[in-house]
Amino acid sequence: EIVLTQSPGTLSLSPGERATLSCRASQSVSRNFLAWYQQKSGQAPRLLIYDASSRATGIPDRFSGSASGTDFTLTINRLEPEDFAVYYCQQYGSSPWTFGQGTNVEIK
Amino acid sequence: QVQLVESGGGLVKPGGSLRLSCAASGFTFSDYYMSWIRQAPGKGLEWVSYISTSTTIYYADSVKGRFTISRDNAKNSLYLQMNSLRPEDTAVYFCARDGWDAYYFDYWGQGTLVTVSS
């Protein structure tokens, strides 16, 4: 089973700043099959990025994803008030599909 | 628009059973893989089970042998039969549509809460 470790656990930033979230896999993720989700309190997760760097339908271009080996990064440029939430990475390169433990992006 | 609506959650005693349903609309249900994902209170996301458009099914080790996923394409519905429930199965259960020919989750329902407690 591939273990995904997200860091930091909490990121305290101000609106307008850039957020850089990390997701490290315990082994290679086949074909960089990694997704990022945003979840706000009491809501279902929303898909942001798939295949490590492809934005999902309707996702603003301030969200971007990248990959380098077993390290994956979600970058949010110019944080908007609605971007403060918990973010999860998920690998779907091999079963069982697994999620990271989440990064909470909070208002500083 | 794509809609997924879960139902069937509730309070059940340890060792009991529950059947969750997910009604899908706004897309051709039979064309898509589907999954269940759960989230324990205050915790992260855990993938539970997957069903393909044909007969391929996968389960997380934590539920294998106790949970059964199924689908009825004529009714545009996904199901999760949960038996031998344990307190650690307490969670919000989300139904999700898998991406086209892929295994990320592009649409999610709002979830249904399952509480296993005596």
Side-chain angles (χ1 to χ4, degrees):
Chain A
E1 170 175 323
I2 296 178
V3 176
L4 299 177
T5 302
Q6 291 188 240
S7 61
T10 300
L11 199 50
S12 299
L13 295 168
S14 300
E17 291 191 297
R18 171 185 291 179
T20 303
L21 287 65
S22 174
C23 175
R24 175 165 290 176
S26 61
Q27 56 188 275
S28 176
V29 176
S30 176
R31 296 164 69 179
N32 283 343
F33 279 168
L34 187 118
W36 289 93
Y37 302 88
Q38 176 194 70
Q39 186 178 34
K40 297 180 182 178
S41 181
Q43 296 185 17
R46 176 175 72 142
L47 176 68
L48 300 175
I49 301 287
Y50 63 95
D51 294 353
S53 59
S54 297
R55 266 188 304 277
T57 303
I59 301 303
D61 61 7
R62 64 180 182 274
F63 291 91
S64 63
S66 64
S68 177
T70 57
D71 291 330
F72 298 85
T73 301
L74 174 69
T75 302
I76 312 171
N77 285 312
R78 302 179 307 280
L79 279 164
E80 296 285 345
E82 62 268 26
D83 298 337
F84 292 92
V86 179
Y87 292 82
Y88 294 95
C89 57
Q90 176 233 341
Q91 69 80 24
Y92 47 98
S94 59
S95 179
W97 326 140
T98 50
F99 290 89
Q101 81 279 19
T103 290
N104 180 26
V105 179
E106 65 174 24
I107 299 177
K108 187 174 182 180
Chain B
Q1 70 282 21
V2 173
Q3 277 200 309
L4 299 169
V5 180
E6 302 92 338
S7 61
L11 175 63
V12 62
K13 289 182 168 50
S17 298
L18 217 51
R19 188 195 196 207
L20 305 184
S21 299
C22 172
S25 60
F27 64 103
T28 305
F29 180 72
S30 57
D31 284 349
Y32 285 84
Y33 311 154
M34 298 292 296
S35 293
W36 289 97
I37 298 108
R38 68 184 180 184
Q39 186 169 36
K43 302 296 185 183
L45 300 167
E46 180 188 16
W47 168 77
V48 173
S49 184
Y50 152 94
I51 186 167
S52 73
T53 53
S54 56
T55 58
T56 301
I57 286 173
Y58 298 136
Y59 297 101
D61 286 347
S62 58
V63 306
K64 202 174 294 183
R66 300 187 299 121
F67 289 12
T68 302
I69 191 172
S70 62
R71 65 190 298 163
D72 185 335
N73 290 336
K75 294 184 178 180
N76 291 335
S77 292
L78 177 71
Y79 305 102
L80 186 67
Q81 177 67 43
M82 303 185 297
N83 298 331
S84 302
L85 282 162
R86 305 166 179 168
E88 56 264 36
D89 295 319
T90 295
V92 174
Y93 284 74
F94 295 102
C95 155
R97 189 184 85 167
D98 287 40
W100 180 255
D101 197 27
Y103 308 109
Y104 55 84
F105 312 114
D106 61 357
Y107 287 93
W108 298 61
Q110 279 305 113
T112 186
L113 176 63
V114 172
T115 303
V116 184
S117 174
S118 54

